[in-house]
Amino acid sequence: MPLDTRNLELSLQITKSPMSFIHIPKSWHIPASQATPEDIYLDRRRLLKTMGFGGISALGVLTGCNRLNAWRPDNPNQDAILQPPSTGPPQASRTQDLYPARHNPAFTLDRPLTPEYTANKYNIFYEFAVSKDVNNYVHKFRTRPWEVEVKGLVEKPQTFDLDDLVRMMPLEERLYRFCCVEAWAMAIPWTGFPFKALLDKVQPMSDAKYVRMLTFLRPSEAPGQQAKWFPWPYYEGLTIEEAMNELTLLATGIYGHELPVQHGAPIRLVTPWKYGYKSIKSIVLIELVNEKPRTFWNDEAPSEYDFYANVNPYIPHLRWSQATERMLDTNEKRETMLYNGYAPYVAHLYKT
Ligand code: MTE
């Protein structure tokens, strides 16, 4: 099966705009000649398929074949599981009946909601495309069955089936502002549950200081992950105080229904006082750790994307101002607010 790189080539041509993430080669961006050749990588996958390893856990026993390190030796996420292509017919979610969820009126907006049509067609999800029309490249992706593993410095490590987890969590709808580091903005009705509710279930130990998160690794379904110049899977982190903050959601829905793939189905982070790149999509792993975890965009361009990524109009991005933001749909320009207007909830986290 040849790699389908058409989308990536096309996308890279489109991504010439100054206001977009760019790739800055790193020392660990090994030359293709030193990487595992594609045919060997694909042969491993074919072999696994022939052997009938259809499930993630079955694949997991084949140590050495399921790690990304053969592909990217310096990848910080050596525990990422390379998932095989899904087999069988697509499976439906078992929690669709929970939407629309109860609306929480505590979180109000100072601007109209972004129309769903607009929010669904302007996304950043490099696993599928470097261009914003991500929705055109998601058709192969399966979001069920889906597991989220919670491990590390917790009393009760656990792997949750996503639908079981969603049914046991307090789902609610909240309206939040959303600001991308590229200086465009939206207003979104998310459905999700507080990250704290999940952490309470697994009981973090006292030396847990940070939360590390990983996205899926399934290059057969996500064409962008076939590009070797990014250190897949996407990885992010929060301090434990940030994860426990009452604003921090694990979202499973948007506009009153489940998340479509381009928004990070079936589960993604939402931290409305931070630039959008913190809000990691399609999470499979949450680990409580005691050292600050490395993060995808900070590793790519440390001088442009810091760990905290708090919205701040007074600190320009290296290549553009953050003083104003442009609302998607209307193109209205607004003054960017410190912490995206959520200072009363979060400013205390950053007092030294
Ligand atoms: N998560 C993953 N796994 N991959 C990504 O490329 N992009 C981030 C964030 N989460 C990204 C991701 C960026 S840069 C932004 S601005 C938001 O997702 C965009 O979220 P949206 O498409 O739902 O608006």
Side-chain angles (χ1 to χ4, degrees), residues 185-204:
M186 302 185 284
I188 299 286
W190 298 106
T191 302
F193 54 88
F195 205 143
K196 182 178 183 305
L198 174 59
L199 293 178
D200 286 347
K201 252 203 154 7
V202 295
Q203 298 178 12

Side-chain angles (χ1 to χ4, degrees), residues 21 119 122-127 178 180-181 184 186 190 215 232 234 262-264 268 276-282 297:
F21 293 97
Y122 196 87
N123 300 94
I124 303 186
F125 205 169
Y126 273 27
E127 284 81 343
F178 179 97
C180 176
V181 73
W184 51 263
M186 302 185 284
W190 298 106
T215 292
W232 305 118
Y234 200 94
Q262 64 266 34
H263 281 294
R268 56 102 42 96
Y277 66 89
K278 290 300 286 184
S279 54
I280 180 170
K281 298 177 171 181
S282 307
W297 281 111

Side-chain angles (χ1 to χ4, degrees), residues 1-15:
M1 184 187 71
L3 289 179
D4 183 5
T5 51
R6 284 165 303 168
N7 165 34
L8 288 164
E9 282 161 14
L10 179 71
S11 301
L12 284 168
Q13 285 160 18
I14 294 167
T15 313

Side-chain angles (χ1 to χ4, degrees), residues 250-308:
L250 287 170
T252 56
I254 192 168
Y255 294 98
H257 53 71
E258 293 183 322
L259 288 173
V261 173
Q262 64 266 34
H263 281 294
I267 183 165
R268 56 102 42 96
L269 181 70
V270 176
T271 46
W273 73 100
K274 292 178 178 290
Y275 292 119
Y277 66 89
K278 290 300 286 184
S279 54
I280 180 170
K281 298 177 171 181
S282 307
I283 299 168
V284 296
L285 176 78
I286 296 174
E287 185 183 18
L288 282 279
V289 293
N290 60 11
E291 284 186 3
K292 191 194 269 187
R294 287 168 61 175
T295 58
F296 185 92
W297 281 111
N298 186 247
D299 274 351
E300 285 294 292
S303 55
E304 302 196 17
Y305 309 111
D306 76 329
F307 175 85
Y308 289 99

